[in-house]
Amino acid sequence: MNFRTPHPFPPVILDDVRGAQKMLSGVARMTAMEGSRHLSELVGAPVHFKCENLQRTGSFKLRGAYVRIAGLSPVERAAGVVAASAGNHAQGVALASALLGVRATVFMPVGAPLPKVAATREYGAEVRLHGQVVDETLAAAEEYAQETGAVFIHPFDHPDIIAGQGTVGLEILEQCPEVRTIVVGIGGGGLAAGVAVAVKAVRPDVRIVGVQAAGAACYPPSLAAGHPVVIDGLQTMADGIKVGRPGDVPFGLVQELVDEVRTVSEAELSSALLLCLERAKLVVEPAGASPVAALLSDPRSFRGPVVALLSGGNVDPLLMQRILTHGMASAGRYLSLRVRLTDRPGALATLLASLSVADANVLDIGHVRTDPRLGLTEVEVELHLETKGPVHCEEVTTALRHAGYEVTA
């Protein structure tokens, strides 16, 4: 279904993006474009990664933040700026403010990852922890702006922010002039809107595909309604695109210029992050890996050459550990099962020998002796195994059953 409606007075045009690109010269890096042989084989056409995870501060957010703050009047700069963010926007505002000599105060949720809080402080911003979710943090930042006169720097809902993010699109056209599809993650919509403005003005034939986490997908219902709507109960590991309502400014541009918005599951996000780490040797946060997740979910539906925009790489190490475990499980690299044994000496050793023959690596073993379903001389062994994929999981299970074991998942 086509949700587009004409936008008579677009708030951001190509000249704005080009002006932002000049402003960002010497500030933001032109990040690398890396090919992905694995995804290219799946898609049946060249696939490239635009590596904004390697941008200064670890994400594209510096671009929009710098353009927005650089455009302030001397009086506004003297009043300072304030922002609210769980991480990437916070760091972008902090560094941009430091480069421009502007005082910055950044509100972050109480549970924000410590590395992101520390990085924001190291860039020179005053960090205030407030609220459990970003919406509460955002309200605190807006209240601070009203009380102090500081300029509130919105993470996505401002033309200057969108123009700055759009410079990524100009770089993609320069680095991959033959591109036919660009896949980009969407939260509030600033990045997707900016890229679409830049690319469609130069190459209207390029298809722009936005990607949202299924547990935080505010754009599909908003596009269906024809205006931004609020969704509740956001549940996703991809905190960088965990937004409950599209921005007013980017929504109109996304509605007009983005060809399609897809959603991806948590399992697809974790598998994508694992692929980036294993195959591309790139540390990418879940939001940044969302375009890769979309490619993995339906690779043959994309017209190539394809550019997947890896928007950020700021991921908490503890979250990374959990995500990688989840990703390996989703990819069939872990197998959990229970095996019933006769409780006698040597029974476990015999079972482990069978697993060794099946080439499965034992990660953890637990014994259950108190289940009333067990016989007097029986024990159930719970096994967590590292395997080579779904086919190997089936082979291991089949081998145990052929050896006479009763196996349950």
Side-chain angles (χ1 to χ4, degrees):
M1 186 179 295
N2 187 350
F3 297 116
R4 295 185 189 180
T5 57
H7 200 299
F9 303 106
V12 184
I13 60 175
L14 179 60
D15 284 347
D16 298 321
V17 181
R18 286 178 169 159
Q21 188 175 45
K22 292 179 182 178
M23 190 179 294
L24 288 167
S25 178
V27 176
R29 299 177 181 136
M30 177 181 279
T31 50
M33 184 83 74
E34 299 287 346
S36 172
R37 185 175 64 179
H38 178 69
L39 282 176
S40 296
E41 291 174 354
L42 292 178
V43 172
V47 174
H48 307 279
F49 293 150
K50 174 59 172 169
C51 301
E52 281 296 288
N53 58 309
L54 304 179
Q55 184 56 261
R56 297 178 71 178
T57 74
S59 86
F60 70 96
K61 289 288 190 177
L62 171 65
R63 298 173 182 264
Y66 188 90
V67 172
R68 173 78 173 100
I69 297 170
L72 298 178
S73 69
V75 172
E76 289 173 321
R77 290 196 191 192
V81 299
V82 61
S85 167
N88 288 349
H89 181 59
Q91 293 173 69
V93 168
L95 178 56
S97 298
L99 294 173
L100 292 164
V102 176
R103 185 179 69 259
T105 302
V106 177
F107 285 78
M108 303 181 76
V110 173
L114 292 179
K116 293 185 179 183
V117 175
T120 303
R121 285 185 173 132
E122 288 171 6
Y123 286 127
E126 177 190 348
V127 174
R128 298 192 180 190
L129 301 179
H130 183 91
Q132 298 299 320
V133 295
V134 174
D135 286 343
E136 296 174 357
T137 309
L138 188 65
E142 291 176 328
E143 182 179 351
Y144 177 89
Q146 293 173 358
E147 291 175 351
T148 65
V151 180
F152 179 64
I153 307 298
H154 199 283
F156 50 81
D157 205 10
H158 193 279
D160 288 348
I161 295 286
I162 294 170
Q165 321 305 29
T167 59
V168 181
L170 295 181
E171 291 181 12
I172 289 173
L173 293 179
E174 180 179 344
Q175 294 170 298
C176 185
E178 68 279 12
V179 63
R180 299 179 73 186
T181 304
I182 297 173
V183 191
V184 55
I186 298 184
L191 177 62
V195 168
V197 166
V199 171
K200 289 289 190 177
V202 180
R203 288 276 310 281
D205 60 302
V206 173
R207 186 171 178 80
I208 310 292
V209 178
V211 184
Q212 292 208 288
C218 61
Y219 263 89
S222 296
L223 291 169
H227 58 83
V229 299
V230 179
I231 61 169
D232 299 317
L234 307 183
Q235 294 291 334
T236 179
M237 68 178 77
D239 59 348
I241 53 175
K242 189 177 180 181
V243 177
R245 182 188 185 278
D248 291 324
V249 180
F251 175 79
L253 295 168
V254 170
Q255 184 183 41
E256 181 180 354
L257 300 172
V258 172
D259 295 279
E260 180 186 1
V261 176
R262 301 188 180 193
T263 61
V264 292
S265 68
E266 297 300 284
E268 288 165 341
L269 284 168
S270 56
S271 295
L273 189 146
L274 184 62
L275 181 144
C276 290
L277 189 62
E278 285 192 326
R279 297 298 185 101
K281 315 306 177 192
L282 291 169
V283 175
V284 184
E285 62 189 273
S290 59
V292 178
L295 289 170
L296 287 174
S297 68
D298 191 6
R300 292 290 173 171
S301 66
F302 292 89
R303 183 181 62 179
V306 178
V307 172
L309 206 171
L310 308 182
S311 58
N314 292 316
V315 56
D316 178 62
L318 294 177
L319 176 61
M320 171 71 86
Q321 183 179 17
R322 294 197 298 270
I323 292 171
L324 291 179
T325 300
H326 187 268
M328 291 184 73
S330 299
R333 301 273 292 279
Y334 286 143
L335 174 62
S336 296
L337 45 80
R338 292 189 173 198
V339 179
R340 191 168 295 189
L341 305 175
T342 302
D343 193 7
R344 58 178 174 76
L348 181 58
T350 303
L351 171 62
L352 295 179
S354 298
L355 291 171
S356 178
V357 171
D359 202 21
N361 184 37
V362 179
L363 299 175
D364 189 33
I365 299 176
H367 289 76
V368 178
R369 286 188 169 88
T370 57
D371 192 320
R373 293 172 298 178
L374 294 173
L376 185 62
T377 60
E378 289 182 323
V379 61
E380 195 168 60
V381 177
E382 185 175 3
L383 297 160
H384 299 281
L385 310 173
E386 182 182 6
T387 62
K388 300 173 183 177
V391 174
H392 189 213
C393 287
E394 293 180 8
E395 292 173 351
V396 171
T397 303
T398 300
L400 290 177
R401 287 178 175 145
H402 284 170
Y405 293 104
E406 181 181 342
V407 180
T408 56

